[in-house]
Amino acid sequence: MHILLATDADWIVDEVTAALGGPDTSFTVVRSGQLVAKVAAEREPDLVITDLQVGTMGGFAITLALRNDESVEALPHLPVVMLLDREADVYIAQRSDAEAWVIKPLDALRLRRAMNAALAGETYHEGVPVAPAPEPETTDGEEDPAAAEEETANAG
């Protein structure tokens, strides 16, 4: 697997490569957001991981540029994982069309979950409230066993 990592922060390179690296994984690090689409076309990565802030063109703009190139068939669809700085950045991430995002601080388990979901065509979105499960419907005349009151009985 080949991962294109867009960041200008050395500590992010260290954390991502340590968490996702392995004998079958290679990385290309791009330190300028404007170069991501060009490098993606040349290297054809399996996954793009982008920091929210990469110099003058951050993760949101990078993702939109990749999706724009995809729409005109200049690039194939590339799954994107964004690395968000804080929970408030979820608002931006939701509009980016990224398959996944992780809120810093990073850890290997969450990065790997995001990567696996994005590669499988699924989503992994941290900081998005999960809708509560719907209440089970009861039919008229039938009592919901979960709502039954408990009675105590004396054995006597």
Side-chain angles (χ1 to χ4, degrees):
M1 173 175 37
H2 186 72
I3 298 173
L4 190 153
L5 175 58
T7 185
D8 55 6
D10 291 336
W11 72 271
I12 290 179
V13 173
D14 294 343
E15 287 202 25
V16 171
T17 56
L20 304 179
D24 297 330
T25 305
S26 61
F27 293 87
T28 298
V29 177
V30 179
R31 295 185 181 271
S32 171
Q34 291 90 344
L35 298 176
V36 171
K38 179 182 179 212
V39 173
E42 293 170 358
R43 301 287 177 110
E44 299 179 4
D46 299 298
L47 178 70
V48 175
I49 300 177
T50 179
D51 197 1
L52 184 63
Q53 311 240 352
V54 185
T56 59
M57 184 178 183
F60 178 76
I62 290 168
T63 304
L64 292 180
L66 291 172
R67 298 300 179 245
N68 186 43
D69 286 354
E70 176 187 346
S71 72
V72 296
E73 299 180 3
L75 281 176
H77 178 78
L78 298 172
V80 175
V81 175
M82 284 183 30
L83 307 177
L84 306 181
D85 294 324
R86 57 204 170 117
E87 194 166 329
D89 297 329
V90 168
Y91 178 79
I92 295 169
Q94 288 175 313
R95 282 137 188 85
S96 71
D97 204 21
E99 280 78 6
W101 58 77
V102 178
I103 301 169
K104 297 172 192 167
L106 305 175
D107 68 67
L109 178 64
R110 292 170 32 246
L111 277 172
R112 193 160 291 282
R113 283 182 181 164
M115 175 190 74
N116 289 338
L119 290 171
E122 299 169 0
T123 60
Y124 181 87
H125 297 155
E126 292 185 348
V128 177
V130 177
E135 294 283 330
E137 292 185 30
T138 58
T139 58
D140 290 341
E142 289 185 28
E143 191 174 307
D144 181 6
E149 290 184 30
E150 190 175 309
E151 289 185 31
T152 57
N154 292 333

